[in-house]
Amino acid sequence: MTSFSREVMAVAIAAMGTFLVLGCGGGSGSAGGSSGGGLFSAPAEPEPTMRFGVVWDDLVVDSGKVKSGQSLSHLLDPAGVSPGRVATLAANSRKTWDVRYMKAGHRWWLASKAVRDSADAEARLVPEWFIYERNPKDYALFSLSDTLGVRLGSYPVDTVYARAQGTIENSLYMDFDKVGHPTNLAVAMASVYAWTIDFSRVQKGDTYDVTYRREVVNGTPAGMPVVLSSVFTHWDRPLEAYRFETDGVGGYFDLEGGSLQKVFLKAPVEFSRISSRYNPKRFHPVLKKVKGHFGTDYAAPKGTPIVAVGDGVVTKSSYTSGNGKYVKIRHNSTYETQYLHMSKRAVKEGQRVKQGQTIGYVGQTGLATGPHVCFRFWKNGKQIDHLREEFPPSDPIDATLQKAFADEVTQLEALKERLEPNAGPVRADGLR
Ligand SMILES: [Zn+2]
């Protein structure tokens, strides 16, 4: 089954409800059975309210946000959980989730059971659960009763679909915002068309028609929107893009199954060896202290040609005491690369370069212990380890997958037709 139809099924069998219903942690859907209690449904036993995957009825709940300097014991001590039990809880939890990861600003809940020792006695609270929200999607559920321990859980995730359509008036970013679409959809679009459109030069009158999906957790959109299909008309030329997953990595293809992505060369120097990998916590060999290494070092003899890993424009051809002689290239609105410690530079700022073109020669200028090129890679302005980055497929769709791709295109087109442009997000079960 294709990725899209899997999702539609998953959402379709999920609990009914509208996108704006504020989720209660555990999700009533997990209780199964018929929920809703519509006008004509027969009276039934009320279903237990679930939250964080546990029965939430009859619990007395206190909640708040972790304050600066607060630890688990600060939060549990007032509820009468002894320091010894907190220590056991922390020890039992360490392998699953270390309580020392708790950070200020995150939400927590303490749920207790009201217990009466005799009919006329005052109720006392016995702590049952402590929940710490790790991020908008995930939480840690601590059991405070008999077995002290932790379980990790996630809120139910809804997938919603939307379609953005319009004509560029200012920029993709501003125009999306104006018609109620997330501005980071512009970033997603820039990635889809990274190799075909320079969005900094997109002009008034260019048009877009984009179908995308987003995840919604507790009524709030989470994460980046994912472009499913798009037609961007640039200089009167329509450029289609369809998302298709091969080997678990999503890529964008045109109607004929040609990839919209190009490939980068694996390394900027031939016949080299990697002498140091990307490591944000590296101990610097020259400075003798921890200083992140945000590049990959390729050792090669002095004078070995260094080549551009992709087409682009030289944005820097310069010298600093740390970098030595270096060159930086912008490939498109998404990717940039930089090459350090050259003995000699071979290109000027503003110059266009082709993939494989020599841009300089290996040396050890700047902070370097031997001849090598320190190769750095940026994606959307953030430095990344290019050896770990899963680049989208750059080959055309394989002949064996042509049928699956054609089916996916049909589905994506059908989805697009069912979405009213700029009308707000719709869950799969709300599509007609
Ligand atoms: Zn380096």
Side-chain angles (χ1 to χ4, degrees):
M1 217 184 314
T2 63
S3 59
F4 171 63
S5 48
R6 260 201 309 274
E7 254 158 43
V8 170
M9 290 207 29
V11 175
I13 58 173
M16 295 292 286
T18 59
F19 151 53
L20 278 173
V21 166
L22 284 170
C24 55
S28 54
S30 56
S34 64
S35 60
L39 203 53
F40 304 105
S41 61
E45 283 284 296
E47 271 183 38
T49 308
M50 302 291 289
R51 197 169 182 190
F52 306 110
V54 298
V55 176
W56 203 246
D57 290 325
D58 306 323
L59 291 171
V60 179
V61 180
D62 188 15
S63 66
K65 280 186 180 173
V66 179
K67 294 194 186 96
S68 175
Q70 264 185 337
S71 67
L72 189 60
S73 56
H74 289 122
L75 292 163
L76 294 181
D77 182 63
V81 183
S82 71
R85 282 177 72 76
V86 174
T88 308
L89 177 64
N92 290 354
S93 306
R94 193 153 297 149
K95 274 194 184 145
T96 309
W97 196 79
D98 195 321
V99 301
R100 290 173 298 182
Y101 295 153
M102 261 178 60
K103 280 196 211 103
H106 287 238
R107 297 198 291 172
W108 60 265
W109 293 260
L110 176 66
S112 308
K113 214 161 46 185
V115 176
R116 272 174 218 282
D117 294 321
S118 64
D120 52 353
E122 285 274 305
R124 60 186 176 88
L125 295 178
V126 180
E128 287 266 293
W129 309 106
F130 178 81
I131 298 99
Y132 170 79
E133 192 172 77
R134 299 162 60 208
N135 58 54
K137 281 181 166 184
D138 308 303
Y139 55 83
L141 173 77
F142 293 91
S143 159
L144 306 175
S145 47
D146 314 333
T147 32
L148 295 164
V150 71
R151 195 164 77 204
L152 299 182
S154 302
Y155 295 115
V157 176
D158 270 335
T159 304
V160 295
Y161 300 87
R163 179 177 175 188
Q165 195 188 65
T167 304
I168 303 283
E169 282 169 25
N170 292 294
S171 68
L172 210 48
Y173 187 91
M174 288 165 78
D175 292 341
F176 279 155
D177 193 38
K178 211 164 72 187
V179 283
H181 296 285
T183 50
N184 54 5
L185 180 60
V187 178
M189 285 286 282
S191 294
V192 171
Y193 290 109
W195 299 104
T196 27
I197 302 172
D198 177 356
F199 276 96
S200 63
R201 301 172 71 168
V202 153
Q203 57 160 11
K204 257 188 189 182
D206 282 355
T207 63
Y208 57 86
D209 190 347
V210 195
T211 301
Y212 65 95
R213 68 159 190 247
R214 313 191 69 177
E215 290 188 337
V216 175
V217 177
N218 287 334
T220 307
M224 281 284 285
V226 176
V227 173
L228 297 174
S229 69
S230 160
V231 183
F232 193 93
T233 305
H234 185 46
W235 298 102
D236 294 324
R237 195 174 134 230
L239 296 157
E240 293 118 349
Y242 295 94
R243 182 182 167 85
F244 186 67
E245 279 185 20
T246 50
D247 298 325
V249 182
Y252 292 90
F253 300 87
D254 60 26
L255 260 181
E256 284 73 48
S259 176
L260 267 67
Q261 325 294 330
K262 286 197 189 107
V263 71
F264 284 115
L265 297 179
K266 289 269 181 288
V269 261
E270 269 189 283
F271 311 116
S272 59
R273 68 177 174 85
I274 292 173
S275 52
S276 171
R277 284 197 56 161
Y278 185 99
N279 177 5
K281 290 178 187 153
R282 177 178 74 155
F283 185 81
H284 197 283
V286 176
L287 299 173
K288 303 278 185 226
K289 62 174 185 181
V290 175
K291 188 172 184 293
H293 185 226
F294 298 98
T296 305
D297 290 346
Y298 292 89
K302 187 181 174 202
T304 306
I306 299 168
V307 301
V309 295
D311 294 1
V313 176
V314 177
T315 52
K316 281 272 179 204
S317 176
S318 187
Y319 174 88
T320 66
S321 56
N323 291 354
K325 293 179 186 169
Y326 74 100
V327 166
K328 191 169 184 182
I329 298 172
R330 173 168 280 285
H331 299 284
N332 51 49
S333 54
T334 306
Y335 298 114
E336 295 164 276
T337 55
Q338 195 185 36
Y339 314 72
L340 314 184
H341 313 308
M342 292 175 166
S343 59
K344 201 172 155 229
R345 293 175 279 125
V347 287
K348 291 193 177 73
E349 284 176 20
Q351 188 179 332
R352 287 207 156 268
V353 290
K354 284 277 177 207
Q355 184 177 69
Q357 182 177 335
T358 298
I359 54 168
Y361 300 90
V362 173
Q364 63 179 94
T365 55
L367 274 180
T369 47
H372 77 282
V373 56
C374 181
F375 176 59
R376 299 178 171 194
F377 210 105
W378 280 261
K379 182 183 184 183
N380 294 323
K382 242 180 87 181
Q383 285 192 283
I384 57 156
D385 181 355
H386 79 290
L387 296 175
R388 282 175 191 266
E389 176 76 1
E390 290 216 54
F391 290 103
S394 51
D395 291 330
I397 300 274
D398 192 80
T400 58
L401 293 172
Q402 280 291 352
K403 172 78 173 73
F405 176 66
D407 289 348
E408 185 78 355
V409 168
T410 306
Q411 297 231 34
L412 290 173
E413 284 294 334
L415 173 69
K416 174 176 156 180
E417 288 312 313
R418 284 142 78 203
L419 290 164
E420 200 185 316
N422 309 329
V426 183
R427 286 170 50 140
D429 54 11
L431 294 169
R432 262 179 277 259

PDB file of all heavy atoms in Angstrom, residues 12 64 137 178 183 372 403:
ATOM      1  N   ALA A  12      -8.895   7.174   9.193  1.00  0.00           N
ATOM      2  CA  ALA A  12     -10.306   6.843   9.062  1.00  0.00           C
ATOM      3  C   ALA A  12     -10.779   5.944  10.193  1.00  0.00           C
ATOM      4  O   ALA A  12     -11.913   6.052  10.642  1.00  0.00           O
ATOM      5  CB  ALA A  12     -10.557   6.173   7.715  1.00  0.00           C
ATOM      6  N   GLY A  64       1.002  21.883  36.722  1.00  0.00           N
ATOM      7  CA  GLY A  64       1.752  23.129  36.625  1.00  0.00           C
ATOM      8  C   GLY A  64       2.872  22.986  35.621  1.00  0.00           C
ATOM      9  O   GLY A  64       2.870  22.069  34.803  1.00  0.00           O
ATOM     10  N   LYS A 137       4.563  16.394  21.822  1.00  0.00           N
ATOM     11  CA  LYS A 137       4.029  15.112  21.359  1.00  0.00           C
ATOM     12  C   LYS A 137       4.145  13.995  22.395  1.00  0.00           C
ATOM     13  O   LYS A 137       3.360  13.064  22.374  1.00  0.00           O
ATOM     14  CB  LYS A 137       4.816  14.656  20.123  1.00  0.00           C
ATOM     15  CG  LYS A 137       4.440  15.315  18.829  1.00  0.00           C
ATOM     16  CD  LYS A 137       5.310  14.719  17.727  1.00  0.00           C
ATOM     17  CE  LYS A 137       4.804  15.061  16.350  1.00  0.00           C
ATOM     18  NZ  LYS A 137       5.600  14.411  15.316  1.00  0.00           N
ATOM     19  N   LYS A 178      -0.912  35.226   4.655  1.00  0.00           N
ATOM     20  CA  LYS A 178      -2.088  36.049   4.409  1.00  0.00           C
ATOM     21  C   LYS A 178      -3.348  35.202   4.195  1.00  0.00           C
ATOM     22  O   LYS A 178      -4.435  35.601   4.591  1.00  0.00           O
ATOM     23  CB  LYS A 178      -1.841  36.959   3.205  1.00  0.00           C
ATOM     24  CG  LYS A 178      -2.588  38.271   3.302  1.00  0.00           C
ATOM     25  CD  LYS A 178      -2.058  39.303   2.334  1.00  0.00           C
ATOM     26  CE  LYS A 178      -2.410  39.000   0.900  1.00  0.00           C
ATOM     27  NZ  LYS A 178      -1.766  39.915  -0.050  1.00  0.00           N
ATOM     28  N   THR A 183       3.548  29.506   7.757  1.00  0.00           N
ATOM     29  CA  THR A 183       4.640  30.125   7.002  1.00  0.00           C
ATOM     30  C   THR A 183       5.757  29.120   6.718  1.00  0.00           C
ATOM     31  O   THR A 183       6.463  29.266   5.722  1.00  0.00           O
ATOM     32  CB  THR A 183       5.214  31.340   7.763  1.00  0.00           C
ATOM     33  OG1 THR A 183       5.491  30.940   9.102  1.00  0.00           O
ATOM     34  CG2 THR A 183       4.232  32.492   7.767  1.00  0.00           C
ATOM     35  N   HIS A 372      44.570  19.130   4.822  1.00  0.00           N
ATOM     36  CA  HIS A 372      43.229  18.531   4.695  1.00  0.00           C
ATOM     37  C   HIS A 372      42.249  19.619   4.297  1.00  0.00           C
ATOM     38  O   HIS A 372      42.563  20.812   4.383  1.00  0.00           O
ATOM     39  CB  HIS A 372      42.795  17.854   5.999  1.00  0.00           C
ATOM     40  CG  HIS A 372      42.329  18.797   7.072  1.00  0.00           C
ATOM     41  ND1 HIS A 372      43.178  19.524   7.859  1.00  0.00           N
ATOM     42  CD2 HIS A 372      41.080  19.131   7.490  1.00  0.00           C
ATOM     43  CE1 HIS A 372      42.502  20.254   8.716  1.00  0.00           C
ATOM     44  NE2 HIS A 372      41.213  20.049   8.518  1.00  0.00           N
ATOM     45  N   LYS A 403       4.399   1.623 -11.613  1.00  0.00           N
ATOM     46  CA  LYS A 403       2.967   1.413 -11.391  1.00  0.00           C
ATOM     47  C   LYS A 403       2.554   2.009 -10.040  1.00  0.00           C
ATOM     48  O   LYS A 403       1.557   2.730  -9.950  1.00  0.00           O
ATOM     49  CB  LYS A 403       2.694  -0.099 -11.447  1.00  0.00           C
ATOM     50  CG  LYS A 403       1.284  -0.511 -11.038  1.00  0.00           C
ATOM     51  CD  LYS A 403       0.268  -0.253 -12.150  1.00  0.00           C
ATOM     52  CE  LYS A 403      -1.100  -0.834 -11.792  1.00  0.00           C
ATOM     53  NZ  LYS A 403      -1.795  -0.060 -10.759  1.00  0.00           N
TER      54      LYS A 403
END
